[in-house]
Amino acid sequence: MSTQKHAFQAEVAQLLHLVTHSLYSNKEIFLRELISNASDACDKLRFEALADGSLYGDQPELRVRIAFDKDARTLSIADSGIGMSEAEAIEHLGTIAKSGTREFMARLSGDQKADAQLIGQFGVGFYSGFIVADRITVETRRAGLPPEQGVRWSSGGSGDFTVETITLPERGTRVILHLREDALEFADGWRIKELIGKYSDHIALPIQMEGETWEEGKEEGQPGRMVKTGEWETVNQATALWTRPKKDITDEQYTQFYEQIAHDWQPPLAWSHNRVEGSTEYTQLLYVPSHAPMDLWDRDKKPGVKLYVKRVFIMDDAEQLLPRYLRFVKGVVDSSDLPLNVSRELLQESRDVKAIREGNTRRVLALLEELASAKSEAPKAEAEDSTAEVTDVQDKKEAAASDKYASFWREFGAVLKEGLGEDHANRERIARLLRYASTTHDGQTVSLADYKARMKEGQKAIYYIAADTLVAAKNSPQLEIFRKKGIEVLLMTDRVDEWALSFLHEFDGTPLQSVAKGAVDLGELQDEAEKKAAEQAAEAVKPLVDKLKETLKERVEDVRVTTRLIDSPACLVVKDSGISLQLARVLKQAGQAVPDARPVLEINPGHPLVKKLDGHDRFDELAHILFDQALLAEGGLPDDPAAYVRRVNALLA
Ligand code: ADP
């Protein structure tokens, strides 16, 4: 029988090097990765067998068996799952399909703990075997293929691997690790059991090990030893966690389960586990992770919810089960109503799925509301303690809960905002969850409700400004009058902000108003004297305004006098209905067509520069400089930057 040699794809070789060199002090994770692969392989078989029951052959049992041999220094993980054909083995174990891998490698930091957490997210699981093995042999046979079409894959983990055809009586995959000298601890039943308990307890599949018993030395003075009994024993819980009653599940178990399904080794921020009864029956176990995955901004990323039907795994990332703006949520939905042969197409039309999706959405929002409301969770016993300490304890608890929301918001807030446009039915609820930076609360984020509660007397709108950065937003000339009058303005710096707010016209009856749109109308916030002075100033500069209009007619929609400026000579705004200059820039950068709307130039009649302008012999030059500077201050760039520089230089000279 011939053995063929294949070279690893260059990326694999590089990855192998990195994995083995950066994770050697966190060796044990290899087992969780290989068990997870074995479990996936069983899920795949179960799913394919829904369409073709003959794939099970005469072996209906799905399980993982772990065996070790101290003398031979091997550890093997065998599953009765889908297996691989020769072509599949070459492809799956010789190349890296996932595009995120390059990024993964760039992110490896040298901090082994952090690196170990990254590894699971990137489909490099199999290669982690080389942390503990100097050779890995894989024997595998695809379900449905005859015994003679088994495959043996083998590699020492450097440049290449070999593949040969062998006869294998059983389908599925056996991964045999030839342990390195410094990894012999894993050829030990206790150690393996400990790791299974730690990482793989809730794999909904029996993980079995051969029983061992203590045998006394046969002769006087000869030491006793552990011997195999020949019986396979299941060593994990092997029940789907979500099917167990809530009260029987510890936080630690919930966390472990999360780690398994999300391949994320940082504990989740929060979760919600419910059995929903009624016209559609299902169980949901949904988690909010504590940190954003790297592909969060991928437009095609699907929500990370696995679909099960009556405990049978159906598919990963079932996109119908949650709206896109909750794509950061991970978890499991197990339906009692859907047919087992449900397809992605069918999911789109199913009314049950629609009900599940709505139920999931409500749940996640409720979970976030809980975090956001930061209610004290101090247990009774503590509350009965001496008063001074109680407040202390409660403060801490409140801080912890609100920290959680702050941390959620930092990681996922920008994604949640998409919900304003995507989920009309829940818009109000989403609006209550929004948080923004504020001109009056440096370093904090505030909610719309907070803002509303402290609005000034006579204030009719919630004011906000959107800019590319916090600094640009804070220093925008458009804020001058608001700052002077002590009116709070929300500072928005996410790209999605303006688009999202175009769906939210008011909050709790109060309109939201961009300070960069339309003329300022502070209404009752301005007193009569101020209004009068403004009118007089406007009257006085009317000829100047007309002249500016004429000179800049190609560049502006209008020129008018404003009261919003204190220290700056001019600023740009757009009409009430128009899209802001900031949003227009974002859209343009994203390659989208943007209506060619010209801005309105607003001038500050009290500013020395504006006063000087009238009758100046270089009026035209100054007018253009005034416009370009207003554009710069607002975060834009002049259409013809060189012309701007020329004009300024001419003045300086
Ligand atoms: P991932 O599992 O994240 O895709 P791995 O590097 O762990 O990445 O595995 C690569 C591929 O090899 C898997 O996607 C799968 O197709 C195949 N594979 C790995 N282990 C097994 C197994 N026990 N049975 C069948 N296929 C497997």
Side-chain angles (χ1 to χ4, degrees):
M1 214 143 283
S2 72
T3 306
Q4 311 160 353
K5 204 172 209 169
H6 296 265
F8 280 121
Q9 180 193 25
E11 278 191 345
V12 176
Q14 204 182 345
L15 184 70
L16 272 168
H17 181 85
L18 276 166
V19 162
T20 49
H21 286 80
S22 59
L23 296 174
Y24 55 85
S25 75
N26 221 309
K27 292 194 193 79
E28 61 185 43
I29 58 142
F30 81 93
L31 189 65
R32 134 198 122 189
E33 296 294 327
L34 295 180
I35 291 179
S36 159
N37 280 354
S39 157
D40 289 349
C42 291
D43 279 346
K44 279 183 202 156
L45 175 59
R46 191 153 28 194
F47 183 63
E48 280 193 25
L50 292 174
D52 176 8
S54 73
L55 286 176
Y56 281 118
D58 54 7
Q59 192 195 358
E61 198 196 0
L62 292 174
R63 42 128 188 89
V64 181
R65 283 186 170 170
I66 300 183
F68 59 89
D69 182 334
K70 269 202 164 91
D71 301 329
R73 300 182 165 189
T74 59
L75 174 67
S76 69
I77 295 99
D79 63 69
S80 57
I82 192 75
M84 284 176 271
S85 67
E86 184 178 306
E88 285 169 334
I90 293 171
E91 185 181 331
H92 296 326
L93 307 182
T95 60
I96 300 176
K98 294 192 183 144
S99 57
T101 308
R102 233 174 248 287
E103 226 173 316
F104 162 72
M105 296 199 284
R107 286 250 309 231
L108 281 176
S109 59
D111 170 0
Q112 297 202 7
K113 266 236 165 78
D115 290 349
Q117 282 166 351
L118 276 177
I119 198 166
Q121 292 178 33
F122 284 89
V124 293
F126 172 75
Y127 304 106
S128 67
F130 285 107
I131 307 170
V132 295
D134 48 24
R135 169 156 300 275
I136 299 181
T137 304
V138 178
E139 294 177 351
T140 182
R141 194 186 103 205
R142 183 91 166 66
L145 292 181
E148 312 77 63
Q149 291 193 32
V151 184
R152 179 182 289 131
W153 178 104
S154 186
S155 174
S158 38
D160 50 31
F161 60 91
T162 58
V163 172
E164 63 186 305
T165 305
I166 57 169
T167 297
L168 279 178
E170 292 185 4
R171 69 146 197 273
T173 304
R174 179 188 308 274
V175 177
I176 304 155
L177 304 168
H178 303 268
L179 295 172
R180 290 176 195 272
E181 190 71 40
D182 61 358
L184 293 176
E185 63 186 284
F186 299 109
D188 177 275
W190 292 111
R191 182 79 171 107
I192 296 292
K193 271 185 205 157
E194 178 208 351
L195 293 179
I196 292 171
K198 183 165 169 191
Y199 295 120
S200 310
D201 219 16
H202 301 293
I203 296 265
L205 195 72
I207 301 174
Q208 302 176 332
M209 290 180 70
E210 220 178 323
E212 283 184 299
T213 133
W214 182 255
E215 190 182 79
E216 294 294 342
K218 292 209 174 68
E219 284 155 34
E220 242 347 280
Q222 196 185 352
R225 59 187 192 121
M226 297 297 285
V227 292
K228 306 260 164 75
T229 61
E231 302 272 314
W232 288 98
E233 297 168 354
T234 297
V235 295
N236 65 332
Q237 292 252 3
T239 56
L241 179 87
W242 64 89
T243 60
R244 289 168 40 199
K246 254 162 127 159
K247 62 173 178 24
D248 297 348
I249 309 175
T250 63
D251 284 1
E252 201 188 351
Q253 289 171 328
Y254 275 121
T255 300
Q256 278 176 8
F257 183 71
Y258 169 78
E259 291 175 348
Q260 276 167 31
I261 58 160
H263 287 275
D264 174 8
W265 318 106
Q266 291 182 39
L269 206 58
W271 58 82
S272 182
H273 180 198
N274 312 281
R275 165 136 199 88
V276 183
E277 281 161 11
S279 56
T280 306
E281 298 203 348
Y282 60 99
T283 301
Q284 61 190 177
L285 173 51
L286 303 171
Y287 291 90
V288 176
S290 56
H291 63 107
M294 292 178 25
D295 56 355
L296 186 64
W297 297 105
D298 180 351
R299 281 162 178 269
D300 297 326
K301 182 174 161 55
K302 297 173 180 137
V305 178
K306 291 178 194 290
L307 176 64
Y308 285 73
V309 172
K310 300 180 192 78
R311 300 188 197 185
V312 177
F313 170 78
I314 304 295
M315 66 181 78
D316 271 325
D317 303 341
E319 54 197 313
Q320 313 301 331
L321 299 182
L322 271 178
R324 231 172 237 288
Y325 75 96
L326 298 179
R327 61 183 174 271
F328 52 85
V329 172
K330 306 273 185 198
V332 171
V333 164
D334 190 346
S335 157
S336 322
D337 304 316
L338 291 171
L340 278 170
N341 61 356
V342 66
S343 64
R344 286 195 189 265
E345 292 68 45
L346 221 102
L347 283 182
Q348 284 179 0
E349 281 141 34
S350 159
R351 286 180 49 198
D352 288 322
V353 171
K354 195 161 171 272
I356 295 176
R357 177 191 172 100
E358 283 167 7
N360 284 347
T361 305
R362 279 197 299 272
R363 262 303 150 196
V364 175
L365 292 178
L367 191 58
L368 296 178
E369 282 159 1
E370 246 170 67
L371 290 182
S373 68
K375 282 273 146 29
S376 163
E377 292 156 8
K380 270 242 159 62
E382 282 171 320
E384 280 158 13
D385 263 25
S386 89
T387 41
E389 270 174 44
V390 178
T391 35
D392 192 58
V393 167
Q394 289 188 334
D395 282 353
K396 270 191 204 136
K397 292 255 174 187
E398 279 191 23
S402 60
D403 280 356
K404 273 194 179 180
Y405 193 71
S407 133
F408 161 79
W409 188 254
R410 222 175 17 251
E411 296 290 320
F412 302 111
V415 180
L416 191 74
K417 287 171 185 170
E418 295 172 14
L420 291 176
E422 196 184 338
D423 188 354
H424 300 195
N426 288 303
R427 196 178 291 156
E428 292 275 305
R429 288 182 80 172
I430 298 167
R432 287 183 188 280
L433 290 167
L434 300 173
R435 297 292 181 272
Y436 297 104
S438 150
T439 49
T440 54
H441 290 69
D442 217 21
Q444 295 177 32
T445 57
V446 306
S447 70
L448 295 175
D450 293 341
Y451 182 107
K452 204 180 150 170
R454 55 180 177 241
M455 274 182 10
K456 291 229 177 261
E457 196 156 320
Q459 186 177 343
K460 297 254 162 47
I462 296 173
Y463 293 106
Y464 69 90
I465 184 163
D468 290 335
T469 63
L470 198 58
V471 179
K474 264 189 203 165
N475 296 334
S476 165
Q478 278 132 350
L479 294 182
E480 288 170 4
I481 184 72
F482 294 89
R483 186 159 288 130
K484 183 173 171 212
K485 292 200 163 280
I487 303 168
E488 182 170 11
V489 178
L490 300 175
L491 305 170
M492 309 197 175
T493 50
D494 275 329
R495 295 190 136 218
V496 63
D497 276 324
E498 281 215 78
W499 173 84
L501 280 197
S502 66
F503 297 94
L504 187 74
H505 302 294
E506 53 159 58
F507 174 77
D508 202 10
T510 305
L512 276 91
Q513 168 71 44
S514 162
V515 303
K517 278 189 193 174
V520 257
D521 175 12
L522 293 178
E524 290 162 29
L525 292 169
Q526 256 177 330
D527 59 37
E528 284 309 312
E530 281 174 321
K531 280 185 194 158
K532 194 134 202 169
E535 273 164 29
Q536 281 170 354
E539 198 52 42
V541 292
K542 194 165 179 306
L544 174 66
V545 168
D546 290 340
K547 222 169 142 196
L548 279 171
K549 257 189 231 180
E550 179 54 30
T551 310
L552 297 171
K553 65 173 183 279
E554 308 279 301
R555 308 184 73 182
V556 299
E557 162 92 26
D558 194 11
V559 178
R560 68 186 174 220
V561 172
T562 183
T563 51
R564 84 170 89 217
L565 297 172
I566 310 293
D567 304 317
S568 303
C571 70
L572 296 179
V573 296
V574 294
K575 285 187 301 182
D576 260 328
S577 53
I579 62 169
S580 79
L581 299 171
Q582 140 88 358
L583 181 58
R585 274 196 302 276
V586 170
L587 291 176
K588 248 187 211 152
Q589 276 165 16
Q592 300 206 27
V594 185
D596 209 12
R598 280 170 296 169
V600 175
L601 179 71
E602 292 193 340
I603 58 166
N604 175 0
H607 197 278
L609 212 127
V610 173
K611 286 184 176 156
K612 243 190 185 165
L613 209 53
D614 211 4
H616 202 283
D617 54 355
R618 304 176 93 148
F619 182 86
D620 280 19
E621 301 272 281
L622 283 173
H624 282 284
I625 290 175
L626 196 67
F627 177 90
D628 284 335
Q629 288 191 337
L631 189 59
L632 284 167
E634 184 273 340
L637 261 189
D639 285 340
D640 185 352
Y644 168 74
V645 172
R646 221 169 24 243
R647 285 182 188 124
V648 173
N649 285 349
L651 268 188
L652 292 174

